[in-house]
Amino acid sequence: MPNTRATHLTRRGILAAGGALGLGAVLAACGDDNDAKSGGSGSTKAAEKSGPWTFKDDRGTTVKLDKAPANIVAFTGVAAALYDYGIEVKGVFGPTKTKDGKADVQAGDMDISKVTILGNEWGQFNIEKYAGLAPDVLVSTMFDDAGTLWYVPEESKDKILKLAPSVGISVYDVQLPKPLERMLALAESLGADVKSAKITEAKKKFETAAERLRKAAKARPEIKVLAGSASQDIFYVSGSNLSVDLEYFRALGVNLVEPSAKALKASGGWFENLSWENVDKYPADVIVMDDRSSTIQPADITEATWKKLPAVKAGQVIARTPEPILSYDKCTPILDNLAEAIENAKKVS
């Protein structure tokens, strides 16, 4: 992740830090040369697909291989989603390991000791290690409409993308169910049994959670929900447009706090920067805070202005996952937790 002192902070860098939201603690850069050997949690290894493999991604690019890829390299969050569907990856890039050596929140249930970490923070990608994996395909998400692969460094992307075909799954300006469907389709193409009891039940639970959130929002329309992210000097307030989770919350009827259009324009539509002195600019009853390890977590915020916020004083602060792991199993708690917060919230704004 880039920090605020970066000389050239690109729009992609801003998103990595903040909107997909938050500047702050820099992840330790570390790697592991072991290969992945386990399938998704609670599941058997996905069946090996025979014959040619074809997949059309969200750029409109169709990847064709003689057989289903065996050596998959993916952005950490994508790898975590595939893991839930029983798909192995050989290598990952993106936030995978925290400074204390534990699995990053974006690694989900993966055993990070069994994957090769090609880069653990923004701008890192070990091309030699990548080539050594003999990759069949690289998979990442996309946070823009230009087909930019998330966490593939701009300065080395040409070298990286020459080594293997790539697949991009869009998480830009779409509601959460769409990329969930696309990730499931990718997993199926790679051998996942999408009709298994486990996956069928996970999807059903997600739909139940969505209906719960819809009902909670309808029953408590007065409850204002603010999406925030904390860094040392800036508090970010996210707009409900562009982000897969917030767009879906809004569609389900959640009363989301919206930053001013002028402020959003300055960040490309993602968020508004506030100083800690102005953190009370937008009244809110529930605050959902960026849970990524690159941001300061609520328990560690020492600013007096934060502690005085009515939602904070009322204990109505919960985690937000700006980069959801795109499996139904991982996205269901996101909906349930927000529904519960709205159901139980006191009106404090």
Side-chain angles (χ1 to χ4, degrees), residues 33-77:
D33 292 322
N34 294 322
D35 289 338
K37 295 181 177 65
S38 60
S41 64
S43 69
T44 58
K45 180 179 176 181
E48 292 187 5
K49 300 276 282 188
S50 60
W53 182 78
T54 299
F55 187 81
K56 185 175 182 179
D57 76 357
D58 292 340
R59 298 170 297 185
T61 300
T62 299
V63 178
K64 298 180 180 180
L65 299 175
D66 292 338
K67 59 180 180 179
N71 296 342
I72 302 168
V73 172
F75 171 69
T76 302

Side-chain angles (χ1 to χ4, degrees), residues 28-37 72-74 76 89-98 101-103 107 110-121 124-126 128-133:
C30 43
D32 194 307
D33 292 322
N34 294 322
D35 289 338
K37 295 181 177 65
I72 302 168
V73 172
T76 302
V89 302
K90 295 289 185 179
V92 297
F93 54 94
T96 307
K97 185 182 291 187
T98 61
K102 296 180 180 179
M110 283 193 301
D111 183 346
I112 62 171
S113 71
K114 295 180 178 179
V115 292
T116 298
I117 301 174
L118 303 173
N120 198 56
E121 64 178 87
Q124 290 186 342
F125 195 111
N126 190 314
E128 290 185 4
K129 278 188 178 182
Y130 179 55
L133 293 175

Side-chain angles (χ1 to χ4, degrees), residues 106-320:
Q106 294 192 62
D109 293 331
M110 283 193 301
D111 183 346
I112 62 171
S113 71
K114 295 180 178 179
V115 292
T116 298
I117 301 174
L118 303 173
N120 198 56
E121 64 178 87
W122 186 257
Q124 290 186 342
F125 195 111
N126 190 314
I127 300 176
E128 290 185 4
K129 278 188 178 182
Y130 179 55
L133 293 175
D136 294 318
V137 69
L138 178 149
V139 190
S140 190
T141 47
M142 300 181 299
F143 278 89
D144 60 28
D145 56 6
T148 307
L149 296 173
W150 194 232
Y151 268 80
V152 175
E154 188 70 21
E155 61 274 13
S156 56
K157 69 176 183 179
D158 291 343
K159 292 181 180 179
I160 293 168
L161 299 179
K162 283 180 181 178
L163 295 173
S166 61
V167 167
I169 301 296
S170 179
V171 288
Y172 175 74
D173 199 13
V174 292
Q175 294 177 26
L176 186 55
K178 181 62 176 180
L180 279 171
E181 291 170 3
R182 296 293 289 141
M183 191 63 70
L184 186 64
L186 175 61
E188 181 179 22
S189 78
L190 295 169
D193 179 7
V194 300
K195 295 182 180 179
S196 68
K198 178 189 175 186
I199 295 175
T200 300
E201 183 63 20
K203 187 173 183 180
K204 182 178 179 181
K205 287 182 178 179
F206 175 83
E207 292 167 350
T208 299
E211 185 58 27
R212 177 186 179 185
L213 180 54
R214 187 192 303 276
K215 290 180 178 178
K218 185 176 182 179
R220 303 293 308 278
E222 77 280 9
I223 299 300
K224 297 179 181 178
V225 178
L226 181 147
S229 184
S231 71
Q232 183 175 353
D233 301 314
I234 300 171
F235 183 79
Y236 301 86
V237 179
S238 185
S240 66
N241 198 19
L242 304 184
S243 298
V244 291
D245 61 333
L246 300 183
E247 283 204 9
Y248 192 44
F249 297 163
R250 184 181 64 192
L252 292 173
V254 175
N255 183 3
L256 290 165
V257 170
E258 295 290 350
S260 69
K262 182 178 180 181
L264 287 174
K265 185 177 181 180
S267 70
W270 291 93
F271 54 86
E272 177 177 357
N273 299 349
L274 296 178
S275 67
W276 283 104
E277 289 78 10
N278 295 317
V279 72
D280 60 351
K281 179 177 179 179
Y282 297 106
D285 303 293
V286 173
I287 301 175
V288 291
M289 288 292 290
D290 191 335
D291 68 355
R292 293 176 299 175
S293 55
S294 58
T295 68
I296 300 174
Q297 296 305 299
D300 299 319
I301 298 175
T302 58
E303 301 288 343
T305 49
W306 163 262
K307 294 181 178 180
K308 291 179 181 178
L309 292 177
V312 175
K313 292 171 69 174
Q316 295 174 177
V317 179
I318 65 170
R320 177 198 169 203

